[in-house]
Amino acid sequence: MKIFLKTEDEIELMRQANQLVGKTLGELAKHIEPGVTTLQLDQIAEAFIRDHGAVPTFKGFPNPYGGPFPASICTSVNDVVVHGVPNSETILKDGDIISVDCGTLLNGFCGDSCYTFCVGEVSDEVKKLLKTTKEALYLGIENAIAGHHLGDISNAVQCHCEEQGYGIVRELTGHGIGHEMHEAPEVPNYGRRGNGIMLKASMCIAIEPMITMGKRDIWMDQDRWTIRTQDGKPAAHFEHTIAIRKGKAEILSSFEEVEQIEGKLY
């Protein structure tokens, strides 16, 4: 697949789409608490996105293994790594974690970001997983500089998480982003420094560490969407969309709205 470099005008439109994702996650942060269902969160997110003139890109997204995605956000609770489908049966409990992955289409460009939230009082062990995964995301972004290689991002994520004894999911990756939610290149969370394509200014990619507390092995539910850890241990997922620059990557999405509500727990 061809990698599309973006113009400054296009990057500005992508920033607007991604800032809306950040605001949506911030709105959801107000409602994530014990007793809330994942379906309720989905309804809040869809209304918020549409009220701001955008379309939720996840809704109707095609699946090579089955039917299109039925919801506007992915709600992945505890051992669900990614692609959890919101429903009325999944009720958040004290001590849970939930990764909310959100995408928007605004003015022809996509936004994509994910944040893993604590529900009530979460154990220190699980908070450490979240903290490490979030740190890995920012270490990956630090290496996303024009002239570096894709493997520099991947290696930074892998080394930080494996040093803490965590598993790196290998079957799922970050990705390029622009007019389409998934564009070239794929952005793995493991690799060797200096390997892979050379990063160029004005490339836009989504970096998204998907890290497990136990082994990295995963399996797919019968719904053909939900991806879980095989050992049933928790997983964390954080994601930013960025623009590659010559000196320092520009983060187009935002966690600020979430952290204003939740505080910096990790």
Side-chain angles (χ1 to χ4, degrees):
M1 291 178 66
K2 185 176 181 180
I3 297 173
F4 296 99
L5 301 182
K6 309 302 190 292
T7 67
E8 288 304 312
D9 287 344
E10 289 173 329
I11 290 173
E12 175 56 33
L13 290 172
M14 288 190 63
R15 182 184 295 107
Q16 293 173 21
N18 278 283
Q19 289 296 306
L20 178 54
V21 174
K23 290 175 183 175
T24 305
L25 293 174
E27 180 65 21
L28 291 172
K30 302 173 186 176
H31 300 276
I32 291 174
E33 61 184 11
V36 172
T37 69
T38 54
L39 180 60
Q40 288 174 306
L41 296 177
D42 180 65
Q43 292 167 340
I44 292 165
E46 180 169 5
F48 190 88
I49 291 167
R50 294 191 187 279
D51 286 349
H52 286 78
V55 174
T57 45
F58 292 3
K59 194 158 193 176
F61 194 81
N63 183 351
Y65 306 106
F69 195 74
S72 298
I73 55 174
C74 297
T75 51
S76 304
V77 180
N78 296 334
D79 66 323
V80 178
V81 183
V82 287
H83 305 161
V85 179
N87 62 79
S88 59
E89 287 77 41
T90 304
I91 303 170
L92 298 182
K93 304 184 304 297
D94 188 63
D96 284 346
I97 56 171
I98 177 171
S99 300
V100 179
D101 198 350
C102 179
T104 62
L105 178 65
L106 180 66
N107 297 321
F109 284 89
C110 292
D112 190 9
S113 183
C114 180
Y115 196 93
T116 302
F117 296 84
C118 294
V119 182
E121 291 298 321
V122 173
S123 72
D124 289 342
E125 183 184 26
V126 173
K127 281 184 182 176
K128 183 183 175 185
L129 169 68
L130 271 54
K131 180 176 184 289
T132 302
T133 304
K134 192 178 183 184
E135 289 170 346
L137 168 61
Y138 286 103
L139 288 170
I141 292 170
E142 285 178 14
N143 283 272
I145 301 169
H148 285 202
H149 289 262
L150 199 59
D152 297 346
I153 300 172
S154 307
N155 183 260
V157 172
Q158 180 181 9
C159 288
H160 187 65
C161 294
E162 287 187 342
E163 282 172 0
Q164 300 298 323
Y166 298 134
I168 315 292
V169 174
R170 300 194 174 213
E171 294 84 353
L172 303 158
T173 69
H175 50 88
I177 185 170
H179 283 298
E180 302 292 332
M181 186 166 63
H182 292 157
E183 297 182 355
E186 290 188 347
V187 185
N189 292 306
Y190 68 98
R192 288 189 295 168
R193 298 194 69 83
N195 271 21
I197 63 166
M198 182 174 286
L199 303 174
K200 295 183 178 181
S202 300
M203 285 175 58
C204 291
I205 60 174
I207 302 174
E208 48 181 319
M210 291 159 273
I211 309 302
T212 64
M213 183 173 283
K215 295 181 179 179
R216 65 176 179 85
D217 306 290
I218 57 174
W219 61 282
M220 182 185 289
D221 270 4
Q222 290 184 347
D223 64 12
R224 312 302 289 173
W225 279 108
T226 305
I227 304 294
R228 297 180 183 272
T229 59
Q230 283 193 17
D231 59 14
K233 292 185 178 180
H237 179 200
F238 288 88
E239 176 183 19
H240 269 316
T241 293
I242 68 167
I244 305 292
R245 301 296 193 182
K246 289 182 179 178
K248 179 182 178 183
E250 181 180 358
I251 302 174
L252 303 179
S253 47
S254 172
F255 291 159
E256 288 182 13
E257 293 82 1
V258 170
E259 290 170 348
Q260 285 173 3
I261 304 298
E262 189 177 69
K264 291 192 176 182
L265 299 178
Y266 37 82

